[in-house]
mmCIF file of all heavy atoms in Angstrom:
data_model
loop_
_atom_site.group_PDB
_atom_site.id
_atom_site.type_symbol
_atom_site.label_atom_id
_atom_site.label_comp_id
_atom_site.label_asym_id
_atom_site.label_seq_id
_atom_site.Cartn_x
_atom_site.Cartn_y
_atom_site.Cartn_z
ATOM 1 N N TYR A 96 3.026 -10.824 10.319
ATOM 2 C CA TYR A 96 4.376 -11.358 10.208
ATOM 3 C C TYR A 96 4.356 -12.851 10.294
ATOM 4 O O TYR A 96 5.390 -13.462 10.222
ATOM 5 C CB TYR A 96 5.261 -10.693 11.367
ATOM 6 C CG TYR A 96 5.489 -9.277 11.036
ATOM 7 C CD1 TYR A 96 4.754 -8.290 11.455
ATOM 8 C CD2 TYR A 96 6.739 -8.968 10.405
ATOM 9 C CE1 TYR A 96 4.951 -6.924 11.131
ATOM 10 C CE2 TYR A 96 7.100 -7.580 10.186
ATOM 11 C CZ TYR A 96 6.083 -6.652 10.562
ATOM 12 O OH TYR A 96 6.395 -5.301 10.300
ATOM 13 N N GLN A 97 3.268 -13.467 10.650
ATOM 14 C CA GLN A 97 3.079 -14.936 10.675
ATOM 15 C C GLN A 97 1.695 -15.183 10.322
ATOM 16 O O GLN A 97 0.779 -14.367 10.280
ATOM 17 C CB GLN A 97 3.378 -15.517 12.022
ATOM 18 C CG GLN A 97 2.431 -14.991 13.130
ATOM 19 C CD GLN A 97 2.913 -15.526 14.492
ATOM 20 O OE1 GLN A 97 3.998 -15.377 14.882
ATOM 21 N NE2 GLN A 97 1.932 -15.979 15.243
ATOM 22 N N ASP A 98 1.350 -16.459 9.989
ATOM 23 C CA ASP A 98 -0.031 -16.892 9.633
ATOM 24 C C ASP A 98 -0.951 -16.600 10.863
ATOM 25 O O ASP A 98 -0.480 -16.771 11.988
ATOM 26 C CB ASP A 98 -0.109 -18.325 9.272
ATOM 27 C CG ASP A 98 0.705 -18.677 7.988
ATOM 28 O OD1 ASP A 98 1.154 -17.765 7.355
ATOM 29 O OD2 ASP A 98 0.798 -19.815 7.718
ATOM 30 N N VAL A 99 -2.154 -16.140 10.587
ATOM 31 C CA VAL A 99 -3.092 -15.842 11.610
ATOM 32 C C VAL A 99 -4.403 -16.453 11.253
ATOM 33 O O VAL A 99 -4.667 -16.836 10.121
ATOM 34 C CB VAL A 99 -3.248 -14.307 11.848
ATOM 35 C CG1 VAL A 99 -1.938 -13.740 12.314
ATOM 36 C CG2 VAL A 99 -3.837 -13.659 10.662
ATOM 37 N N LEU A 100 -5.295 -16.444 12.218
ATOM 38 C CA LEU A 100 -6.720 -16.887 12.063
ATOM 39 C C LEU A 100 -7.538 -15.571 12.239
ATOM 40 O O LEU A 100 -7.505 -14.812 13.241
ATOM 41 C CB LEU A 100 -7.179 -17.825 13.221
ATOM 42 C CG LEU A 100 -6.620 -19.224 13.096
ATOM 43 C CD1 LEU A 100 -7.068 -20.089 14.296
ATOM 44 C CD2 LEU A 100 -7.082 -19.983 11.788
ATOM 45 N N LEU A 101 -8.286 -15.373 11.155
ATOM 46 C CA LEU A 101 -9.076 -14.033 11.009
ATOM 47 C C LEU A 101 -10.418 -14.407 10.470
ATOM 48 O O LEU A 101 -10.520 -14.993 9.399
ATOM 49 C CB LEU A 101 -8.342 -13.059 10.156
ATOM 50 C CG LEU A 101 -8.720 -11.619 10.267
ATOM 51 C CD1 LEU A 101 -8.601 -11.051 11.666
ATOM 52 C CD2 LEU A 101 -7.944 -10.824 9.249
ATOM 53 N N GLY A 102 -11.526 -14.065 11.181
ATOM 54 C CA GLY A 102 -12.814 -14.370 10.762
ATOM 55 C C GLY A 102 -13.102 -15.888 10.523
ATOM 56 O O GLY A 102 -13.726 -16.273 9.590
ATOM 57 N N GLY A 103 -12.313 -16.701 11.249
ATOM 58 C CA GLY A 103 -12.513 -18.083 11.142
ATOM 59 C C GLY A 103 -11.723 -18.737 10.013
ATOM 60 O O GLY A 103 -11.907 -19.897 9.716
ATOM 61 N N LYS A 104 -10.894 -17.951 9.410
ATOM 62 C CA LYS A 104 -10.044 -18.464 8.179
ATOM 63 C C LYS A 104 -8.584 -18.252 8.389
ATOM 64 O O LYS A 104 -8.131 -17.235 9.058
ATOM 65 C CB LYS A 104 -10.504 -17.717 6.943
ATOM 66 C CG LYS A 104 -9.857 -18.219 5.688
ATOM 67 C CD LYS A 104 -10.416 -17.472 4.457
ATOM 68 C CE LYS A 104 -9.609 -17.900 3.215
ATOM 69 N NZ LYS A 104 -9.985 -17.168 2.061
ATOM 70 N N LYS A 105 -7.806 -19.195 8.009
ATOM 71 C CA LYS A 105 -6.267 -19.041 8.110
ATOM 72 C C LYS A 105 -5.897 -18.078 7.059
ATOM 73 O O LYS A 105 -6.172 -18.194 5.851
ATOM 74 C CB LYS A 105 -5.648 -20.357 7.944
ATOM 75 C CG LYS A 105 -4.171 -20.280 8.186
ATOM 76 C CD LYS A 105 -3.469 -21.689 8.191
ATOM 77 C CE LYS A 105 -2.011 -21.466 8.518
ATOM 78 N NZ LYS A 105 -1.360 -22.869 8.574
ATOM 79 N N ILE A 106 -5.100 -16.937 7.472
ATOM 80 C CA ILE A 106 -4.620 -15.991 6.556
ATOM 81 C C ILE A 106 -3.102 -16.156 6.611
ATOM 82 O O ILE A 106 -2.462 -16.091 7.570
ATOM 83 C CB ILE A 106 -5.023 -14.564 6.939
ATOM 84 C CG1 ILE A 106 -6.613 -14.475 7.005
ATOM 85 C CG2 ILE A 106 -4.366 -13.532 6.106
ATOM 86 C CD1 ILE A 106 -7.286 -14.642 5.668
ATOM 87 N N LYS A 107 -2.488 -16.200 5.361
ATOM 88 C CA LYS A 107 -1.084 -16.312 5.209
ATOM 89 C C LYS A 107 -0.346 -14.990 5.689
ATOM 90 O O LYS A 107 -0.881 -13.968 5.518
ATOM 91 C CB LYS A 107 -0.638 -16.659 3.908
ATOM 92 C CG LYS A 107 -1.189 -17.963 3.295
ATOM 93 C CD LYS A 107 -0.099 -18.969 3.536
ATOM 94 C CE LYS A 107 -0.527 -20.330 2.879
ATOM 95 N NZ LYS A 107 -0.030 -21.362 3.568
ATOM 96 N N ALA A 108 0.829 -15.125 6.198
ATOM 97 C CA ALA A 108 1.700 -13.909 6.541
ATOM 98 C C ALA A 108 1.804 -13.149 5.249
ATOM 99 O O ALA A 108 1.950 -13.651 4.221
ATOM 100 C CB ALA A 108 3.042 -14.366 7.124
ATOM 101 N N GLY A 109 1.744 -11.835 5.405
ATOM 102 C CA GLY A 109 1.888 -10.978 4.311
ATOM 103 C C GLY A 109 1.225 -9.596 4.619
ATOM 104 O O GLY A 109 0.715 -9.350 5.657
ATOM 105 N N THR A 110 1.210 -8.805 3.568
ATOM 106 C CA THR A 110 0.601 -7.417 3.662
ATOM 107 C C THR A 110 -0.653 -7.368 2.831
ATOM 108 O O THR A 110 -0.760 -7.823 1.667
ATOM 109 C CB THR A 110 1.694 -6.385 3.193
ATOM 110 O OG1 THR A 110 2.826 -6.481 3.963
ATOM 111 C CG2 THR A 110 1.091 -4.985 3.415
ATOM 112 N N TYR A 111 -1.716 -6.762 3.351
ATOM 113 C CA TYR A 111 -3.085 -6.600 2.743
ATOM 114 C C TYR A 111 -3.547 -5.230 2.920
ATOM 115 O O TYR A 111 -3.279 -4.601 3.864
ATOM 116 C CB TYR A 111 -3.944 -7.718 3.346
ATOM 117 C CG TYR A 111 -3.446 -9.088 3.337
ATOM 118 C CD1 TYR A 111 -2.721 -9.599 4.433
ATOM 119 C CD2 TYR A 111 -3.845 -9.957 2.223
ATOM 120 C CE1 TYR A 111 -2.314 -10.909 4.400
ATOM 121 C CE2 TYR A 111 -3.346 -11.253 2.265
ATOM 122 C CZ TYR A 111 -2.646 -11.763 3.299
ATOM 123 O OH TYR A 111 -2.256 -12.990 3.306
ATOM 124 N N SER A 112 -4.400 -4.794 1.968
ATOM 125 C CA SER A 112 -5.164 -3.592 2.181
ATOM 126 C C SER A 112 -6.333 -3.927 3.132
ATOM 127 O O SER A 112 -6.800 -5.045 3.049
ATOM 128 C CB SER A 112 -5.785 -3.143 0.864
ATOM 129 O OG SER A 112 -4.792 -2.666 0.050
ATOM 130 N N LEU A 113 -6.618 -3.069 4.060
ATOM 131 C CA LEU A 113 -7.716 -3.249 5.054
ATOM 132 C C LEU A 113 -8.763 -2.285 4.732
ATOM 133 O O LEU A 113 -8.747 -1.109 4.891
ATOM 134 C CB LEU A 113 -7.202 -3.027 6.423
ATOM 135 C CG LEU A 113 -8.161 -3.013 7.564
ATOM 136 C CD1 LEU A 113 -8.818 -4.475 7.657
ATOM 137 C CD2 LEU A 113 -7.581 -2.660 8.870
ATOM 138 N N PHE A 114 -9.918 -2.778 4.149
ATOM 139 C CA PHE A 114 -11.083 -2.019 3.827
ATOM 140 C C PHE A 114 -12.211 -2.429 4.770
ATOM 141 O O PHE A 114 -12.155 -3.528 5.370
ATOM 142 C CB PHE A 114 -11.600 -2.283 2.431
ATOM 143 C CG PHE A 114 -10.622 -1.822 1.402
ATOM 144 C CD1 PHE A 114 -9.747 -2.612 0.740
ATOM 145 C CD2 PHE A 114 -10.658 -0.395 0.995
ATOM 146 C CE1 PHE A 114 -8.873 -2.130 -0.357
ATOM 147 C CE2 PHE A 114 -9.762 0.084 0.070
ATOM 148 C CZ PHE A 114 -8.929 -0.810 -0.572
ATOM 149 N N THR A 115 -13.207 -1.588 5.007
ATOM 150 C CA THR A 115 -14.354 -1.889 5.797
ATOM 151 C C THR A 115 -15.620 -1.421 5.087
ATOM 152 O O THR A 115 -15.532 -0.482 4.241
ATOM 153 C CB THR A 115 -14.242 -1.247 7.168
ATOM 154 O OG1 THR A 115 -13.876 0.096 7.083
ATOM 155 C CG2 THR A 115 -13.159 -1.897 8.001
ATOM 156 N N ILE A 116 -16.739 -2.011 5.514
ATOM 157 C CA ILE A 116 -18.065 -1.483 5.041
ATOM 158 C C ILE A 116 -18.809 -1.148 6.308
ATOM 159 O O ILE A 116 -19.336 -2.103 6.910
ATOM 160 C CB ILE A 116 -18.811 -2.418 4.080
ATOM 161 C CG1 ILE A 116 -17.937 -2.758 2.856
ATOM 162 C CG2 ILE A 116 -20.176 -1.810 3.701
ATOM 163 C CD1 ILE A 116 -18.599 -3.860 2.028
ATOM 164 N N PRO A 117 -18.809 0.104 6.734
ATOM 165 C CA PRO A 117 -19.557 0.491 7.976
ATOM 166 C C PRO A 117 -21.060 0.351 7.818
ATOM 167 O O PRO A 117 -21.553 0.719 6.721
ATOM 168 C CB PRO A 117 -19.024 1.890 8.280
ATOM 169 C CG PRO A 117 -17.853 2.032 7.465
ATOM 170 C CD PRO A 117 -18.001 1.221 6.294
#
Side-chain angles (χ1 to χ4, degrees):
Y96 289 84
Q97 64 184 47
D98 294 353
V99 297
L100 289 173
L101 194 62
K104 182 177 177 185
K105 186 174 183 179
I106 300 297
K107 295 266 185 210
T110 304
Y111 305 90
S112 291
L113 174 62
F114 292 101
T115 51
I116 302 175

